[in-house]
Amino acid sequence: DAKTTQPTSMDCAEGRAANLPCNHSTISGNEYVYWYRQIHSQGPQYIIHGLKNNETNEMASLIITEDRKSSTLILPHATLRDTAVYYCIVSGSGANNLFFGTGTRLTVIP
Amino acid sequence: DVKVTQSSRYLVKRTGEKVFLECVQDMDHENMFWYRQDPGLGLRLIYFSYDVKMKEKGDIPEGYSVSREKKERFSLILESASTNQTSMYLCASSSPGTGAYEQYFGPGTRLTVT
């Protein structure tokens, strides 16, 4: 599975959009990009995934570059409850092992 | 609502004890996973199971075993607990699909071995 690179930490003002970047330059054609987050003292929570096209759901939007070497998770209006560690994961179709790195610690500031 | 439960949130055991961590999911998922999470290391896969009585080693299986006698239940066993197994243990489940799929996690068990 391709490795990912994320910033260690980021801050975002409450009510603003939080844009979390992820580099995955070695991604292969059949690998998906997944995003999870982990709020303190809880298990990770699935957010969104994509293959080639941009995706949006009730939690977030995922923008994948045309060459698929990087992506951005967008939380459109960050709240204090969005403070968490966000993991970007690249994994093949049907793969059982999702490799969680150390993620980006997002702090939403009042 | 999707649910994965783990038997304990906090557990303290002594070195050499046999430890059982239980995980139950109510989603009829075929796949179940055990991870451990340590500061600076992220989540690491210990074992997973894709069917009853089936198991596969993950990245760090040494010192652990698993049991899956029923579809909804996946147990992690520390045969002889050691202090380096002090960690947060996370269970997850998923349903295999033809494409991408998500894993649903339990709340975690923080195990301390003294």
Side-chain angles (χ1 to χ4, degrees), chain A residues 45-58:
Chain A
Q45 176 191 23
Y46 165 82
I47 301 173
I48 199 167
H49 74 270
L51 183 63
K52 293 180 182 177
N53 301 320
N54 298 337
E55 302 288 344
T56 296
N57 63 19
E58 65 278 4

Side-chain angles (χ1 to χ4, degrees), chain A:
Chain A
D1 291 336
K3 285 194 171 179
T4 62
T5 305
Q6 298 177 254
T8 303
S9 64
M10 293 179 63
D11 293 338
C12 177
E14 188 178 16
R16 297 284 189 141
N19 296 282
L20 292 92
C22 180
N23 286 322
H24 32 80
S25 59
T26 60
I27 191 171
S28 60
N30 65 346
E31 288 183 315
Y32 289 79
V33 180
Y34 297 82
W35 282 85
Y36 285 72
R37 73 179 182 184
Q38 187 173 22
I39 295 169
H40 183 62
S41 296
Q42 297 182 24
Q45 176 191 23
Y46 165 82
I47 301 173
I48 199 167
H49 74 270
L51 183 63
K52 293 180 182 177
N53 301 320
N54 298 337
E55 302 288 344
T56 296
N57 63 19
E58 65 278 4
M59 289 182 69
S61 295
L62 174 60
I63 308 297
I64 302 174
T65 58
E66 193 169 341
D67 64 6
R68 303 186 71 235
K69 293 184 176 182
S70 65
S71 60
T72 301
L73 179 75
I74 301 171
L75 308 178
H77 305 287
T79 71
L80 298 179
R81 288 174 294 184
D82 291 322
T83 292
V85 178
Y86 287 77
Y87 297 96
C88 169
I89 299 162
V90 172
S91 191
S93 168
N96 285 312
N97 189 357
L98 297 180
F99 177 74
F100 288 76
T102 52
T104 296
R105 182 172 298 278
L106 175 70
T107 303
V108 180
I109 302 168

Side-chain angles (χ1 to χ4, degrees), chain B residues 13-19 78-83 85 113:
Chain B
K13 294 293 181 180
R14 292 189 177 176
T15 301
E17 277 193 86
K18 190 168 187 176
V19 181
L78 286 66
E79 296 291 342
S80 177
S82 63
T83 54
Q85 292 179 309
V113 182

Side-chain angles (χ1 to χ4, degrees), chain B residues 1-4 26-27 104:
Chain B
D1 201 16
V2 160
K3 204 150 191 183
V4 179
D26 65 0
M27 297 162 283
Y104 295 92

Side-chain angles (χ1 to χ4, degrees), chain B residues 72-111:
Chain B
E72 67 270 19
R73 188 178 298 268
F74 192 35
S75 302
L76 180 70
I77 303 154
L78 286 66
E79 296 291 342
S80 177
S82 63
T83 54
N84 62 12
Q85 292 179 309
T86 291
S87 186
M88 169 70 88
Y89 289 88
L90 290 156
C91 175
S93 73
S94 71
S95 184
T98 55
Y101 62 96
E102 58 265 30
Q103 293 187 14
Y104 295 92
F105 284 81
T109 295
R110 187 165 294 281
L111 172 68

